[in-house]
Amino acid sequence: MDEKTIPIKALPPEVRAKLEKKKQNWEVDQLGRALFEQTGECVFIIDLDLRYLKANQQALDLLGYDEREISGMSVSNVMSMGEELDRQIAPGDHANIYERILKKKDGTLIPVEISTSIVSDENGLPVYIQSIVRDISERKATEKLLKRNGQILSVISEATARLFRSPNIESGITEVLESLGNALELFCCVIFEIENFSGAPQIMIHYSWVGYDAGSFDAKTAITPFINRMITTPETVLSEVKAGGDGDIAEYSFLAIPVQGLLGSRGFLGMFDHKNSLSWLLADFDAVQTATNLIGAALQRIQYEETIRLNEFRNRIIVESFPDLLIRIDADGTILDYNSSPNHPLFIHRDMITGKKLVETWPEEIVARILGDKNKNTFQVPYWLEGFQLPFSSSIYESRLHPINPSEALIIIRDISDMVQLNEMKTDFINRASHELRTPLTAVILMADLIQQGGTQEELDEYWRILRNELNRQKKLIDSLLMAGRLESGMMKLESVPLDLLPVVKESMEAVSPIANKKGVALTLDALQEPLNIFGDNGALQQVFINLINNAVKFSPTGSNIKVIISHSDGYVDVAIVDQGMGISPDAIPHLFEKFYRAKNVTVAEIPGSGIGLYIVKSIIEELGGKIDVKSEINKGTTFIVHLKPV
């Protein structure tokens, strides 16, 4: 358009004067006026003082003014000026396009694109400014949306990369929530779970971010109204709720998205916005869903890592609790791993032994025996070596080799010293028991043969007496063995109840008195004539005291005296059986209560006995919570002291 085609009424005087001279071009002016009024663009005519002269109807509708209101109005009242309009307008300027914000009559701001050109006369002097304005609100909204999505995706990408690079993923999740909240202009983001397996549903928030402007916002309380909806329909929940105004956030909207792979169908990403109802476009939601899936993947990785860590911890605890020595070696015999309890006789810290050859630690001959002939160059079959010793240890060991693969094997070294000793004790027990049972049995068979052959009455009476004694001896031994077995297996339960000890001791002395009288040994009791209440079993205690008093009589010389003394000591009631017999050597005292043990001086003196009675005595006393001590001197007598718990 030029000055011949743009009609205008409110022009500067010099411009109007020039236009008045061009009446012959009025038809063109009419055509220009038609274009000015009927074009779909918003057209403004502005004088050189930057005041509106004229605007077509589209321009008036855009701003909400009528023609009378806008005529003469300063451009600055409507438009942010910017550099382009502030600078001095020079003749010959070409049209240019720029963006501005226009302020409508009602105060609303709208983004526009403005194309301006300067209209000059035939002499090239500027006459007025023509401005064509286009509303770009929709374009700006689209650009803002694209920018927003770009920011969201950028935040997700950066935060996710940082999350998976971090050695501590859990701390990084809160940072991701913060980045997501800032990108989406939220005030709170949480990862939460709804647990509804035990009673009323419970909300458990695992990770949370709250913006500074949210104050003390309580996400758990805010989620509560939506629990039932999320349980019944665990798909995306979008709702708005009014909080009442008591807190820092008067109104808010809430969006919950299931987090796949996190906590089953009850894990969610919750987002809180102000009262705009989180009305996002599909692209926004897709970006958030992407973020949710990535967070779910990160949390799933945390669960996997925690499971692996716990399994490794459990396995290490199990391995370290083994009483055995564990050695993992390769085909070259290099120790790859070494684990043992500090209490193991072969304990060496793994840092000192790992990486060394096994033959550098143990003799080559022992190592060859542990590996076996078939595992010298490659591990093929399991191998078990029973019973070997190392030069620097007195213990006895067994080894078990288990191939992991052809080039790696696990060797378990177990200390079997106690087992070997137990087996020896079992063998010794069988031998001694057999001997003790065979001796009276041999005598019985012999007496039976003699009786069968006949003889004088005096001879037969002697045979029958010996036969009866040997049978009684065998019965006592068998009874003792059965009692010892019941005590060891726990089948014999003693009833520990309050009772008066004095009658128990007196009855035991009376039971032994015929044997003592026959041998000419006196029995005396020294005790307070008052109830001596203890915890015990009447029958078991009688067996204890009869055994001890009977032994005292057996080992005491004729005419001697045996004293039974009852007294009190530190927390116990004591019963001492004091004899004047042959005594016990110091080296024999520690073994007195072992099964079938008999002191050498007793054996030499040919005093009969099975060697199991004192074992039973000690077992009964310990079962009742007491203890027994021995004091003795050769040829000066022996004292057994039984300590029992008082009531």
Side-chain angles (χ1 to χ4, degrees):
M1 242 177 235
D2 57 22
E3 73 283 4
K4 297 180 180 180
T5 59
I6 298 179
I8 188 167
K9 295 181 180 179
L11 293 177
E14 62 273 16
V15 176
R16 285 202 303 271
K18 293 178 181 179
L19 292 177
E20 287 294 332
K21 297 178 181 180
K22 298 184 178 182
K23 298 293 185 183
Q24 69 275 17
N25 294 329
W26 180 248
E27 291 77 7
V28 178
D29 290 341
Q30 291 294 338
L31 178 60
R33 178 179 293 276
L35 291 173
F36 177 76
E37 295 293 345
Q38 297 176 15
T39 182
E41 304 285 356
C42 301
V43 182
F44 294 91
I45 303 300
I46 305 170
D47 66 15
L48 300 181
D49 292 331
L50 299 181
R51 293 182 178 276
Y52 290 110
L53 299 176
K54 186 69 175 177
N56 66 357
Q57 191 59 45
Q58 287 82 357
L60 295 175
D61 292 342
L62 178 66
L63 297 179
Y65 292 102
D66 57 29
E67 187 174 358
R68 178 181 57 80
E69 291 174 323
I70 203 168
S71 180
M73 181 183 294
S74 173
V75 171
S76 63
N77 290 346
V78 176
M79 179 173 58
S80 61
M81 298 298 289
E83 288 184 357
E84 289 82 354
L85 295 180
D86 285 342
R87 63 184 173 85
Q88 182 67 34
I89 299 176
D93 276 358
H94 299 288
N96 54 79
I97 299 175
Y98 49 91
E99 295 179 359
R100 286 288 184 270
I101 299 294
L102 297 187
K103 183 178 181 181
K104 299 172 66 173
K105 182 179 179 179
D106 61 4
T108 305
L109 302 179
I110 56 172
V112 295
E113 180 182 84
I114 300 176
S115 173
T116 61
S117 60
I118 298 175
V119 179
S120 303
D121 60 12
E122 64 272 12
N123 297 320
L125 296 175
V127 178
Y128 57 87
I129 301 169
Q130 175 181 278
S131 177
I132 299 175
V133 177
R134 297 181 182 85
D135 185 355
I136 59 173
S137 299
E138 291 185 4
R139 192 186 81 192
K140 283 296 181 182
T142 302
E143 290 177 354
K144 183 178 180 181
L145 178 61
L146 292 174
K147 183 178 180 181
R148 175 187 174 95
N149 289 337
Q151 290 175 338
I152 295 173
L153 293 175
S154 175
V155 166
I156 293 172
S157 176
E158 180 182 352
T160 303
R162 189 170 62 248
L163 178 66
F164 284 97
R165 286 196 306 266
S166 172
N168 187 354
I169 294 182
E170 288 197 73
S171 62
I173 291 177
T174 303
E175 296 179 8
V176 172
L177 294 179
E178 180 180 4
S179 300
L180 188 63
N182 291 331
L184 297 176
E185 299 177 355
L186 309 173
F187 66 82
C188 181
C189 291
V190 295
I191 298 289
F192 66 96
E193 177 188 7
I194 298 177
E195 193 276 312
N196 65 328
F197 298 106
S198 57
Q202 299 292 325
I203 298 172
M204 294 179 289
I205 295 180
H206 297 288
Y207 306 93
S208 174
W209 168 79
V210 180
Y212 293 111
D213 60 339
S216 58
F217 179 73
D218 186 353
K220 188 173 183 179
T221 302
I223 297 172
T224 300
F226 306 102
I227 289 182
N228 292 333
R229 291 179 58 185
M230 284 186 283
I231 291 176
T232 55
T233 56
E235 65 272 9
T236 300
V237 177
L238 177 63
S239 300
E240 181 177 345
V241 64
K242 300 184 183 301
D246 294 334
D248 296 299
I249 305 297
E251 294 179 326
Y252 63 88
S253 55
F254 169 62
L255 176 68
I257 301 178
V259 179
Q260 300 299 328
L262 167 61
L263 303 162
S265 61
R266 298 292 184 261
F268 298 89
L269 167 64
M271 292 169 284
F272 295 89
D273 196 1
H274 294 283
K275 55 182 178 180
N276 58 9
S277 300
L278 289 166
S279 55
W280 303 338
L281 297 180
L282 182 60
D284 286 340
F285 185 80
D286 289 344
V288 174
Q289 185 66 63
T290 300
T292 306
N293 294 339
L294 290 172
I295 291 174
L299 293 175
Q300 195 170 49
R301 175 177 164 181
I302 291 175
Q303 290 180 329
Y304 290 153
E305 290 179 347
E306 180 66 13
T307 301
I308 292 172
R309 187 188 67 80
L310 288 176
N311 287 338
E312 289 178 347
F313 179 74
R314 292 191 192 101
N315 291 339
R316 176 55 61 182
I317 291 296
I318 291 172
V319 169
E320 291 182 350
S321 65
F322 282 171
D324 305 327
L325 171 63
L326 305 180
I327 306 174
R328 185 167 59 91
I329 65 171
D330 62 15
D332 295 330
T334 302
I335 299 174
L336 305 176
D337 197 8
Y338 185 99
N339 187 87
S340 72
S341 167
N343 297 324
H344 196 280
L346 302 179
F347 172 75
I348 301 175
H349 196 281
R350 64 166 60 91
D351 294 342
M352 299 176 60
I353 198 70
T354 303
K356 293 185 177 181
K357 297 281 189 180
L358 188 57
V359 293
E360 297 176 8
T361 307
W362 296 348
E364 185 174 355
E365 182 268 335
I366 296 294
V367 174
R369 291 176 59 195
I370 289 173
L371 297 179
D373 294 336
K374 296 183 179 180
N375 296 314
K376 288 185 177 180
N377 299 317
T378 180
F379 299 113
Q380 300 179 15
V381 295
Y383 186 72
W384 187 352
L385 173 63
E386 290 188 82
F388 68 91
Q389 286 185 282
L390 295 170
F392 47 82
S393 175
S394 60
S395 299
I396 302 173
Y397 304 98
E398 72 172 16
S399 70
R400 300 188 184 188
L401 183 144
H402 300 276
I404 299 173
N405 54 56
S407 60
E408 191 174 331
L410 178 66
I411 300 174
I412 302 174
I413 306 295
R414 177 169 297 173
D415 184 351
I416 60 171
S417 302
D418 292 340
M419 187 181 301
V420 171
Q421 184 179 7
L422 180 61
N423 289 333
E424 291 176 352
M425 290 174 62
K426 288 180 180 178
T427 302
D428 184 59
F429 171 78
I430 292 172
N431 292 335
R432 291 191 181 189
S434 301
H435 173 75
E436 294 294 336
L437 289 169
R438 186 171 59 247
T439 300
L441 185 59
T442 301
V444 167
I445 294 173
L446 176 61
M447 292 302 107
D449 289 341
L450 291 174
I451 292 173
Q452 188 175 10
Q453 293 174 9
T456 65
Q457 187 62 43
E458 184 179 353
E459 290 175 336
L460 290 175
D461 290 342
E462 179 66 16
Y463 297 157
W464 281 112
R465 184 184 64 78
I466 295 173
L467 178 61
R468 186 167 49 252
N469 290 340
E470 293 300 327
L471 287 174
N472 286 331
R473 177 182 171 189
Q474 192 171 38
K475 179 180 180 301
K476 290 179 181 179
L477 177 60
I478 292 173
D479 289 342
S480 297
L481 289 173
L482 289 174
M483 176 170 286
R486 288 197 296 268
L487 286 170
E488 288 181 348
S489 64
M491 295 176 62
M492 182 177 180
K493 298 295 182 182
L494 302 181
E495 186 178 2
S496 184
V497 297
L499 55 83
D500 187 357
L501 178 61
L502 194 56
V504 176
V505 174
K506 287 181 177 179
E507 291 175 7
S508 301
M509 294 177 67
E510 290 174 1
V512 181
S513 61
I515 300 174
N517 293 335
K518 185 176 181 181
K519 192 174 182 180
V521 176
L523 299 178
T524 59
L525 175 63
D526 182 1
L528 298 174
Q529 296 301 316
E530 61 182 31
L532 296 168
N533 296 321
I534 53 105
F535 285 104
D537 182 287
N538 186 53
L541 286 176
Q542 281 195 25
Q543 186 171 357
V544 166
F545 295 128
I546 288 173
N547 191 301
L548 293 175
I549 297 170
N550 186 58
N551 281 351
V553 172
K554 186 188 304 182
F555 300 123
S556 295
T558 301
S560 63
N561 182 34
I562 296 174
K563 294 182 180 179
V564 179
I565 304 170
I566 304 177
S567 61
H568 293 276
S569 65
D570 298 335
Y572 288 98
V573 174
D574 298 338
V575 179
I577 294 92
V578 184
D579 65 43
Q580 299 171 334
M582 65 178 64
I584 305 168
S585 63
D587 59 331
I589 289 178
H591 304 285
L592 279 180
F593 299 102
E594 296 176 3
K595 283 179 289 188
F596 300 113
Y597 180 82
R598 303 194 73 205
K600 291 181 180 180
N601 58 340
V602 174
T603 306
V604 171
E606 297 185 353
I607 299 176
S610 63
I612 201 170
L614 290 179
Y615 169 79
I616 294 175
V617 165
K618 184 178 181 183
S619 299
I620 291 175
I621 293 171
E622 290 180 347
E623 181 75 15
L624 296 174
K627 59 183 181 177
I628 184 169
D629 293 327
V630 183
K631 298 178 181 179
S632 183
E633 290 186 48
I634 294 295
N635 299 322
K636 290 186 178 181
T638 301
T639 301
F640 283 87
I641 305 173
V642 177
H643 307 278
L644 298 171
K645 286 186 175 181
V647 176

